[in-house]
Amino acid sequence: MQENLSLYHIFYTVGRTGNISQAAKELFISQPAISKSIQRLEGNLGTVLFHRSSRGVTLTPDGETLFAKVKEAFSLLSEGEDSILHNRCRNIPRIRLGASSTLSKYVLLSHLKSYVLDHPEVRINISCQSTYQTLQLLDAGKIDVGLIGRPKSLQGYHFRPLLHIRDTFVATRQYLKNQAELYPEGALFHTATFMMLDEENISRQSVNSQLKEHQLELSHILEVTSMDLLIQFAEIGLGIACVIREFVRKELEEGILVEVPMGIDFSDREIGFVCRKKEEHLPLLAHFFPVSEEPSKTSR
């Protein structure tokens, strides 16, 4: 049995690939060596394991029986290796974070930079999704901390506000000029292309709610998957983008984009870290939930 172990590995690889040439590439040995090993195993077992043809090899009935058992054996060996690796890694501290791609770029990065410097031993996992999906992962225990826009209900959560943000609409001066020339009598709500995040996004839902309150309906909407794309599309003059003002401050200051008056004073929203209430005092989360800290507020 012991002398056959390496032969079984070769047999399994040939059976899985159905090709001696491919098996030789995977095992980094020559094709003649593969063939000799198979012949040796067949001799040891007193049977033929493969039918050979110009197209490759196929398992004989005895070969199929042996392959099923060998496959199961290698699967068990793989599980054993995984268990050992898990046992070696389980004592390594880790923290699992959830945030949208937008908040990851504009807010989370700066916090992670200092966290990594203070906790080089901690392994960090990050998953990107919407606020609602982040809360679902938090409920399921699949992440430890979320960075979200504050939802209406926070029952069962501990929320640490970081900053206040405000939605706004932006475009290039040229785009607005073109709209005025093309539709001198038309209202932007009906003539312009408005670029917005998808309906599942909490920012979009907040804006939709306030547009509805003011009985404003946008005729032409282009849905975009990320805030970065909204900003970039606005910069090339594709339309009017609904963005977070704090995330386009530089573009506004440099005159690349201008705010488009919509006749609505959009209300502030909060961005912050969130965790399950029972876990707010865990040592690994202390960086994100320091004691007795007042929330900051960005200037408008």
Side-chain angles (χ1 to χ4, degrees):
M1 173 64 181
Q2 185 174 354
E3 63 179 288
N4 287 344
L5 287 178
S6 62
L7 301 182
Y8 284 134
H9 186 211
I10 294 172
F11 163 76
Y12 173 70
T13 306
V14 174
R16 179 173 52 80
T17 60
N19 188 285
I20 290 178
S21 175
Q22 182 61 37
K25 290 180 181 178
E26 289 191 18
L27 297 171
F28 299 101
I29 57 179
S30 67
Q31 293 184 45
I34 293 280
S35 297
K36 288 181 180 179
S37 296
I38 295 300
Q39 291 171 2
R40 182 180 173 189
L41 183 60
E42 289 176 330
N44 291 345
L45 298 175
T47 188
V48 177
L49 298 173
F50 290 103
H51 293 303
R52 293 147 175 94
S53 70
S54 58
R55 295 184 178 181
V57 295
T58 56
L59 291 162
T60 64
D62 282 348
E64 289 179 352
T65 299
L66 182 62
F67 182 81
K69 297 298 183 181
V70 171
K71 180 180 179 181
E72 183 179 348
F74 277 114
S75 177
L76 289 173
L77 287 172
S78 179
E79 289 180 12
E81 290 178 345
D82 290 343
S83 295
I84 291 173
L85 290 173
H86 175 72
N87 289 338
R88 289 168 59 186
C89 295
R90 64 184 177 182
N91 292 326
I92 298 175
R94 67 168 182 162
I95 188 167
R96 301 163 299 172
L97 300 168
S100 69
S101 56
T102 298
L103 294 182
S104 293
K105 175 180 178 180
Y106 291 100
V107 182
L108 182 60
L109 274 178
S110 60
H111 287 271
L112 280 182
K113 184 177 181 180
S114 58
Y115 188 86
V116 169
L117 288 174
D118 293 339
H119 304 84
E121 78 288 357
V122 177
R123 180 173 297 172
I124 298 173
N125 295 328
I126 302 173
S127 56
C128 291
Q129 63 280 309
S130 70
T131 285
Y132 295 119
Q133 291 171 321
T134 295
L135 289 174
Q136 288 174 356
L137 291 179
L138 203 58
D139 283 337
K142 294 182 178 180
I143 60 173
D144 306 300
V145 181
L147 178 61
I148 64 172
R150 183 173 192 143
K152 293 180 179 179
S153 174
L154 280 169
Q155 186 175 0
Y157 298 114
H158 175 64
F159 183 81
R160 172 203 171 191
L162 291 178
L163 65 147
H164 289 75
I165 59 172
R166 178 171 290 199
D167 299 297
T168 188
F169 285 83
V170 298
T172 61
R173 294 182 188 277
Q174 187 62 50
Y175 181 82
L176 297 178
K177 180 181 178 183
N178 292 342
Q179 288 294 302
E181 292 175 352
L182 289 170
Y183 310 101
E185 303 298 327
L188 282 175
F189 302 112
H190 304 303
T191 62
T193 296
F194 285 87
M195 302 180 294
M196 307 180 74
L197 294 172
D198 62 74
E199 294 276 4
E200 296 297 317
N201 188 278
I202 195 169
S203 293
R204 171 72 181 277
Q205 293 175 9
S206 174
V207 170
N208 281 352
S209 176
Q210 293 179 78
L211 288 173
K212 186 176 181 180
E213 286 179 10
H214 288 76
Q215 298 182 332
L216 296 176
E217 185 174 352
L218 308 179
S219 298
H220 309 289
I221 295 177
L222 171 63
E223 288 194 347
V224 181
T225 57
S226 74
M227 185 71 64
D228 280 344
L229 284 177
L230 283 175
I231 296 169
Q232 291 167 10
F233 286 167
E235 289 178 354
I236 66 171
L238 192 60
I240 299 173
C242 181
V243 299
I244 293 173
R245 179 188 289 169
E246 287 70 19
F247 299 165
V248 292
R249 182 166 292 157
K250 179 180 177 183
E251 289 81 357
L252 293 173
E253 290 174 351
E254 295 178 354
I256 299 172
L257 297 171
V258 296
E259 290 190 81
V260 180
M262 300 288 289
I264 301 175
D265 186 20
F266 289 107
S267 57
D268 284 0
R269 295 188 290 114
E270 280 186 315
I271 297 295
F273 287 119
V274 64
C275 70
R276 291 177 290 274
K277 201 164 186 63
K278 61 183 179 181
E279 297 176 351
E280 62 183 286
H281 299 301
L282 291 179
L284 279 179
L285 305 189
H287 177 91
F288 302 99
F289 303 99
V291 179
S292 302
E293 181 186 73
E294 294 294 326
S296 61
K297 185 169 183 178
T298 59
S299 58
R300 301 182 199 167

